Amino acid sequence: MNEIMLNTDAATLSPIALFLQADLVVKTVMLGLLAASVWTWAVILGFFFRLGSTRRKIATFERDFWKAEDIDAFHRLHNESDLPIARVFTAGVAEWRRSTVGGQVDRGGTRERLATAMGAAVANEIDQLSDRLNILATVGSVAPFVGLFGTVWGIMRSFTGIAQAQNTSLAVVAPGIAEALFATAIGLFAAIPAVIAYNRFSHGINRIEARLNRFADGFHATLSRQLESEVRR
């Protein structure tokens, strides 16, 4: 008989049973947190593959660029690319052409405009690359509190039930407390991967930004040397 009671209690405290036993408010909280968890994992997987692919393509582009002997030919080959480093490169070439189109070239002004144009391009690419990171940050910071709200609401409901039943035995208290705590568990289930992924992806984006800035500095130095050689002529 005791064994049957233990099995019944275990079934009552299963995740599905806890959800079905919860009231409408707690169910809404649980469903919202589950949706946030699914959304978080979709963002994580998409970002993981996107970031890895971007890093590999940037490395290939940079290697090919420094091997290229003709910058104009290389630009014609890559000016339609949507790769972040290609857009930084295109921004530098476009500013170079605008600044050197006339007969008299202002070397100092040209250098400053090149640095500004490529710096702005780097910032724009990083903004686009990190566009969905705010989703992970939001879920990571808000989900535990939403789950806590569900827990508080469920505990309040349990205490109300205890008062109505006038029975404080563990068998009466446990299901309500368990379903309340289950809301917090779901909140943590959504928040923990979001926080870990946010920190990891932020580090990856910072590395890409540093690489784009190094490329921009190197390209800027190349154009500065070309500017000096053209002025001497």
Side-chain angles (χ1 to χ4, degrees):
M1 185 65 178
N2 291 336
E3 184 178 353
I4 294 175
M5 288 296 295
L6 289 175
N7 289 339
T8 302
D9 292 342
T12 302
L13 297 180
S14 68
I16 297 176
L18 290 174
F19 173 78
L20 295 176
Q21 291 168 8
D23 71 347
L24 181 60
V25 174
V26 180
K27 282 181 180 178
T28 302
V29 168
M30 290 180 181
L31 289 174
L33 290 172
L34 286 174
S37 179
V38 172
W39 192 15
T40 296
W41 278 106
V43 172
I44 289 173
L45 293 176
F47 223 101
F48 176 80
F49 291 113
R50 181 186 178 190
L51 214 58
S53 175
T54 300
R55 280 199 300 264
R56 290 190 297 270
K57 290 178 180 179
I58 285 176
T60 301
F61 181 96
E62 193 170 6
R63 184 183 64 246
D64 294 342
F65 172 78
W66 294 117
K67 290 181 179 179
E69 297 180 357
D70 188 343
I71 292 180
D72 290 330
F74 189 82
H75 177 257
R76 286 193 296 270
L77 185 63
H78 295 279
N79 65 339
E80 298 296 332
S81 174
D82 60 352
L83 197 62
I85 194 170
R87 289 174 175 165
V88 174
F89 168 66
T90 299
V93 172
E95 183 56 44
W96 166 263
R97 289 176 176 173
R98 285 193 297 266
S99 297
T100 58
V101 69
Q104 188 68 25
V105 178
D106 180 7
R107 288 182 294 177
T110 299
R111 291 191 181 96
E112 290 181 5
R113 287 189 293 271
L114 285 170
T116 301
M118 287 190 286
V122 169
N124 183 61
E125 293 305 317
I126 295 302
D127 285 343
Q128 293 185 20
L129 195 59
S130 59
D131 182 46
R132 292 197 173 183
L133 275 184
N134 63 325
I135 297 173
L136 300 180
T138 301
V139 172
S141 59
V142 173
F145 294 102
V146 175
L148 184 59
F149 168 75
T151 296
V152 171
W153 185 274
I155 291 175
M156 290 170 56
R157 179 171 171 266
S158 298
F159 285 146
T160 303
I162 291 170
Q164 292 175 351
Q166 296 182 351
N167 188 345
T168 58
S169 67
L170 186 60
V172 175
V173 177
I177 300 297
E179 73 184 42
L181 293 175
F182 187 50
T184 296
I186 297 177
L188 294 176
F189 179 76
I192 291 173
V195 172
I196 294 174
Y198 176 82
N199 292 332
R200 182 60 183 171
F201 291 148
S202 293
H203 175 67
I205 289 175
N206 288 338
R207 291 180 62 185
I208 290 178
E209 183 178 11
R211 187 159 195 169
L212 293 181
N213 283 322
R214 286 194 299 269
F215 171 79
D217 291 341
F219 187 38
H220 184 277
T222 299
L223 294 178
S224 294
R225 286 192 294 271
Q226 185 172 343
L227 182 65
E228 292 288 343
S229 64
E230 289 187 1
V231 168
R232 289 194 189 100
R233 294 174 190 172

